[in-house]
Amino acid sequence: MGKIKKSKPKSKSTNINQGIFLNKQVGQHVLKNPLILQTIVDKAALKSTDIVLEVGPGTGNLTIKLLEQCKKVVACELDTRLSAELIKRVQGTPYQNKLEIIHGNVLKIDLPYFDVCVANLPYQISSPFIFKLLLHRPIFKYAVLMFQKEFAQRLTAKPGDKLYCRLSVNTQILARIDHLMKVGKNNFKPPPKVESSVVRIQPKNPAPTINFQEWDGLLRIAFNRKNKTLSAIFKQSGILSLIEKNYGVHCSFNNIPVPKDFNMKDFVIKLLEDNDFAASRARTMEINDFLGLLQLFNNNGIHFG
């Protein structure tokens, strides 16, 4: 009998280019299709004076095409092996002095100045990165970013859509978001488990004058049960306890006496009913509806920060 060959255990990494291993668990998927890469750069419509921020450049397939179009690329890369490969690619070329690499976790560093952000993001950091980007100052011109398809659909979802959620409202109040293109999983090496999409994000300038912490606090409550009416949501004891505590702080700070028979539940429901919000549901509310609701609550001493 012949010898039985033992099967090798499947690796969580993929070998690419000169012994470099990509770790799928941290979102290392190299976009290999040159037509897709070029289309992304074309959609970015870069000027020769633009400074571009790229996150997760990997081995530099997108970076090289960006360097051809702009003044400078500042690439943020966590993996020093990949950044070393990128440095090799530009050594001795006209692009060498146009590339700056920042080593580190993009969520933990101060973002540099940039005009445009173009990136094939590790999908695990999509949500925290987009808010770090949109709250960054000075305001940049726009970003062209690749996300997991469903995440991109949440970004662009409208009231009434199945995927309309807190993420949709939080990003759309800060920026205009447009879907640009779909990207199939076979355009990557190694292929991810999901399809991807590219979106264009243009921050609103001037930025809306809201307390974002309060705004997000209200949305967390409203979208926790997005199919329920606001009246039903604000009758929940946990939510009433939270806003009653904040109301007490507000009244104390502003020397406002609170009647002994004050009932927060009755107070909130009356506010909602008198202003036609009681039957509203988060899943169908427009941004202006949420703005009006937050203003109504704040004007009556109810806060969510």
Side-chain angles (χ1 to χ4, degrees):
M1 291 180 64
K3 293 182 179 179
I4 298 175
K5 293 183 179 180
K6 293 183 179 180
S7 59
K8 295 181 180 179
K10 290 184 178 179
S11 173
K12 295 179 181 178
S13 301
T14 296
N15 192 352
I16 186 173
N17 292 343
Q18 303 171 2
I20 300 272
F21 282 85
L22 297 176
N23 188 339
K24 292 185 285 186
Q25 290 187 325
V26 296
Q28 292 179 342
H29 299 275
V30 171
L31 183 57
K32 64 181 183 179
N33 187 327
L35 293 178
I36 298 292
L37 289 163
Q38 189 59 54
T39 302
I40 291 173
V41 175
D42 292 343
K43 296 283 187 184
L46 299 174
K47 297 181 179 179
S48 60
T49 55
D50 283 335
I51 296 176
V52 176
L53 172 67
E54 185 186 9
V55 179
T59 55
N61 291 346
L62 179 59
T63 315
I64 298 299
K65 291 187 176 295
L66 294 173
L67 288 166
E68 293 172 356
Q69 301 292 327
C70 68
K71 178 181 179 180
K72 179 181 180 182
V73 171
V74 181
C76 185
E77 177 57 66
L78 182 62
D79 193 327
T80 54
R81 302 167 308 137
L82 296 180
S83 57
E85 179 69 15
L86 177 53
I87 290 172
K88 285 182 186 177
R89 288 187 69 171
V90 300
Q91 269 184 341
T93 73
Y95 307 134
Q96 183 173 345
N97 295 328
K98 295 172 65 175
L99 175 65
E100 176 184 343
I101 295 179
I102 299 176
H103 290 113
N105 185 333
V106 72
L107 299 179
K108 297 180 180 180
I109 65 171
D110 292 330
L111 295 180
Y113 173 85
F114 63 96
D115 300 299
V116 179
C117 179
V118 183
N120 169 23
L121 285 173
Y123 293 155
Q124 293 92 329
I125 69 169
S126 296
S127 188
F129 177 73
I130 198 172
F131 288 110
K132 177 167 185 169
L133 193 65
L134 289 175
L135 297 174
H136 175 69
R137 297 295 180 270
I139 292 178
F140 57 97
K141 292 195 295 186
Y142 53 86
V144 175
L145 305 175
M146 186 180 299
F147 296 112
Q148 180 178 333
K149 180 182 175 182
E150 184 173 306
F151 185 86
Q153 290 174 327
R154 292 180 185 275
L155 290 179
T156 57
K158 301 301 179 186
D161 291 350
K162 182 180 178 180
L163 293 178
Y164 187 62
C165 61
R166 174 172 149 247
L167 175 68
S168 317
V169 181
N170 262 339
T171 49
Q172 290 174 31
I173 195 174
L174 296 173
R176 172 179 172 174
I177 305 171
D178 298 300
H179 181 272
L180 297 180
M181 59 188 292
K182 297 177 183 178
V183 182
K185 62 181 74 173
N186 292 329
N187 291 292
F188 298 87
K189 186 175 181 180
K193 294 181 179 179
V194 296
E195 303 293 325
S196 303
S197 288
V198 179
V199 301
R200 186 179 191 272
I201 301 172
Q202 184 174 359
K204 292 181 179 177
N205 193 5
T209 54
I210 59 168
N211 181 322
F212 195 77
Q213 185 178 4
E214 279 227 45
W215 168 260
D216 187 50
L218 172 61
L219 294 185
R220 281 178 184 274
I221 292 172
F223 277 100
N224 188 44
R225 295 287 187 273
K226 72 176 183 177
N227 293 319
K228 283 193 172 186
T229 64
L230 293 182
S231 177
I233 289 172
F234 281 95
K235 286 178 181 176
Q236 297 177 47
S237 59
I239 293 170
L240 287 170
S241 176
L242 170 67
I243 59 179
E244 187 166 19
K245 179 181 178 182
N246 290 346
Y247 183 75
V249 172
H250 167 80
C251 291
S252 175
F253 187 79
N254 291 281
N255 297 317
I256 300 172
V258 181
K260 291 183 179 179
D261 61 348
F262 178 78
N263 184 296
M264 177 57 74
K265 178 179 175 181
D266 293 342
F267 181 55
V268 170
I269 298 305
K270 189 175 189 311
L271 280 178
L272 293 173
E273 290 176 346
D274 289 350
N275 293 274
D276 298 325
F277 280 114
S280 297
R281 303 171 196 268
R283 65 179 175 82
T284 59
M285 291 173 65
E286 305 270 355
I287 287 178
N288 284 339
D289 295 329
F290 287 110
L291 287 170
L293 181 62
L294 181 61
Q295 184 177 24
L296 171 66
F297 279 137
N298 285 176
N299 288 346
N300 286 275
I302 297 175
H303 295 271
F304 303 93

